[in-house]
Amino acid sequence: MRREGRSNGVRRGAARGRAGVRPWRGQRERPGGGRAWGGCPGAPALDGPEPVRAQAPASPGAAALPGKRDPQRTAFLLRKQWSLYSVTPLYRFCEARLRDYGRQLGAFIAAERQKGLAVEVGVELDVKVAVSCLPDLKGSEQDQAALLLQLSTRSPTSKKNSEDKVVWLGWFCCVAGDELSENLPEDFTCLPLFLVHGAERYTAIVGGWFQKTFDCYFRRLTISPLSLSWMAAMWAGCKEDKATSAMELLFSVPCLPQPLDISYAIHAEDAKALWDTVQKTPGEITQEEVDVFMDCLYSHFHRHFKIYLSATKLVKVSTAIASAHSDGIVKFFQSQYLTGVLMLLTELAISQIQ
């Protein structure tokens, strides 16, 4: 059952994974207190369990390295549904051996197929593995270049010159992950965020090979309501050159015999106008401002529909920048904001590892 509420305007005003994480080789206690929180338009700082204040980059692409951004090279990542995982540091990973890793992973997949895994019933497919780098997806020179994995197949009945069909994509990245990478021993590589688009059977096999080869551990990454509210506020404040789709918030109502979701849509320009009123200092974001922003939206909804959204659970945020679900499912819609969103997701992955 689903109930929808659509706002014509917002008044300005203030008011599945495993349960545990196996320690990775060489892990040690993290020094210091606060955590860095990335995103668009700011990079909030956390002190303890909640973000306190964010410093906003001067432009949407500020998280990217100057002169190295080519939107065409990352355009294929947009408008796909990605499942999120956190990954402990890779032990003795070598970027110069990507071709060898591709061959080894291909052989591993073939061996698993002989066990009856990763094969569609009645169909015999040749699986090819391509491993490459995505150098554009870095927040600093210290970050490891993103690693892209691509599985493609060709059926024996396909024409000789036909293109292979991509059946699975996965990529590791670390955008502004200095907090973890600076404290790693020399033999470890920090790529804490893993994003997957494709069948779970391939994800299980690829993850198994990486765990066996690099002594790492994968865990599904979920997104808390607090993090979703930060995403709503930050993305609402992003500037757009043209009219964009509405911001939509999805809430789940607890303790009911049957599931009930409430969809709340706000025009993008109204959401930004509200955020501009709430934000006290341009270039900074505080937890208090995020709370006021969400409270204003809740109050507006209650005036129209007499429903207290504060008694529900925020499970999804969707904007023209990106969408994120509490189950750890994301979509990216604009390449200029890609690294900014990945900064936030990298921080969430690191916090789960630690």
Side-chain angles (χ1 to χ4, degrees):
M1 185 176 182
R2 180 183 176 97
R3 178 166 184 169
E4 295 193 3
R6 183 170 293 273
S7 165
N8 293 324
V10 178
R11 293 182 182 177
R12 300 186 182 189
R16 237 162 27 220
R18 302 178 197 178
V21 179
R22 176 169 59 86
W24 45 274
R25 185 185 311 193
Q27 184 176 15
R28 51 188 173 183
E29 184 177 355
R30 186 177 109 209
R35 303 194 321 237
W37 182 281
C40 170
L46 293 179
D47 185 10
E50 294 188 351
V52 175
R53 183 171 298 274
Q55 293 290 336
S59 65
L65 296 178
K68 293 191 177 183
R69 282 296 301 275
D70 182 357
Q72 295 303 320
R73 291 200 294 236
T74 55
F76 71 97
L77 302 176
L78 304 180
R79 297 177 181 84
K80 288 184 175 68
Q81 181 170 288
W82 299 98
S83 299
L84 304 179
Y85 293 80
S86 63
V87 187
T88 58
L90 310 183
Y91 181 62
R92 291 186 175 176
F93 170 84
C94 178
E95 190 174 306
R97 297 188 57 199
L98 297 187
R99 185 171 296 182
D100 291 338
Y101 294 153
R103 286 195 293 263
Q104 293 172 19
L105 178 55
F108 185 79
I109 293 175
E112 294 299 311
R113 285 177 56 190
Q114 293 179 1
K115 299 177 183 179
L117 300 176
V119 181
E120 297 180 12
V121 177
V123 179
E124 286 296 326
L125 301 173
D126 292 326
V127 179
K128 297 182 179 180
V129 180
V131 184
S132 59
C133 285
L134 291 172
D136 286 358
L137 300 181
K138 297 173 65 175
S140 68
E141 289 289 356
Q142 288 70 40
D143 288 338
Q144 176 73 27
L147 181 67
L148 174 67
L149 309 174
Q150 178 175 293
L151 305 187
S152 57
T153 63
R154 177 180 295 180
S155 173
T157 59
S158 301
K159 296 181 180 180
K160 185 175 181 180
N161 296 327
S162 63
E163 294 185 359
D164 295 341
K165 177 184 177 182
V166 177
V167 295
W168 185 91
L169 287 171
W171 45 297
F172 297 83
C173 72
C174 179
V175 179
D178 299 348
E179 176 190 9
L180 180 60
S181 60
E182 288 178 351
N183 298 313
L184 283 180
E186 184 177 352
D187 288 338
F188 289 88
T189 298
C190 179
L191 288 169
L193 181 64
F194 185 48
L195 303 94
V196 172
H197 174 74
E200 290 187 6
R201 60 182 181 272
Y202 289 119
T203 303
I205 292 179
V206 172
W209 181 82
F210 268 85
Q211 290 183 157
K212 179 180 179 180
T213 306
F214 301 110
D215 194 24
C216 59
Y217 182 82
F218 292 74
R219 184 184 177 192
R220 277 305 303 265
L221 178 63
T222 58
I223 306 176
S224 69
L226 174 63
S227 296
L228 289 174
S229 65
W230 270 84
M231 292 176 183
M234 287 190 279
W235 297 345
C238 291
K239 295 181 180 180
E240 292 297 324
D241 297 331
K242 56 184 179 180
T244 58
S245 58
M247 180 175 74
E248 182 179 4
L249 307 178
L250 186 66
F251 299 85
S252 176
V253 182
C255 304
L256 292 179
Q258 294 181 346
L260 174 63
D261 290 336
I262 299 176
S263 176
Y264 183 10
I266 308 101
H267 291 303
E269 58 271 23
D270 293 328
K272 188 178 188 311
L274 173 61
W275 175 249
D276 290 343
T277 302
V278 170
Q279 190 177 30
K280 298 177 182 178
T281 305
E284 288 187 353
I285 304 173
T286 67
Q287 179 65 58
E288 178 185 2
E289 291 167 347
V290 173
D291 291 340
V292 170
F293 177 75
M294 297 302 294
D295 287 343
C296 288
L297 295 179
Y298 293 169
S299 298
H300 181 80
F301 193 87
H302 180 263
R303 282 198 300 270
H304 286 275
F305 303 103
K306 307 305 178 185
I307 295 176
Y308 291 99
L309 291 177
S310 58
T312 66
K313 180 182 178 181
L314 180 61
V315 296
K316 185 179 180 181
V317 173
S318 182
T319 71
I321 308 302
S323 70
H325 193 282
S326 60
D327 289 340
I329 305 294
V330 300
K331 280 187 179 181
F332 310 105
F333 299 123
Q334 297 192 38
S335 60
Q336 69 182 116
Y337 291 105
L338 184 57
T339 52
V341 177
L342 289 173
M343 286 175 63
L344 171 56
L345 298 178
T346 298
E347 163 61 22
L348 296 180
I350 290 175
S351 66
Q352 180 163 284
I353 294 171
Q354 295 177 328

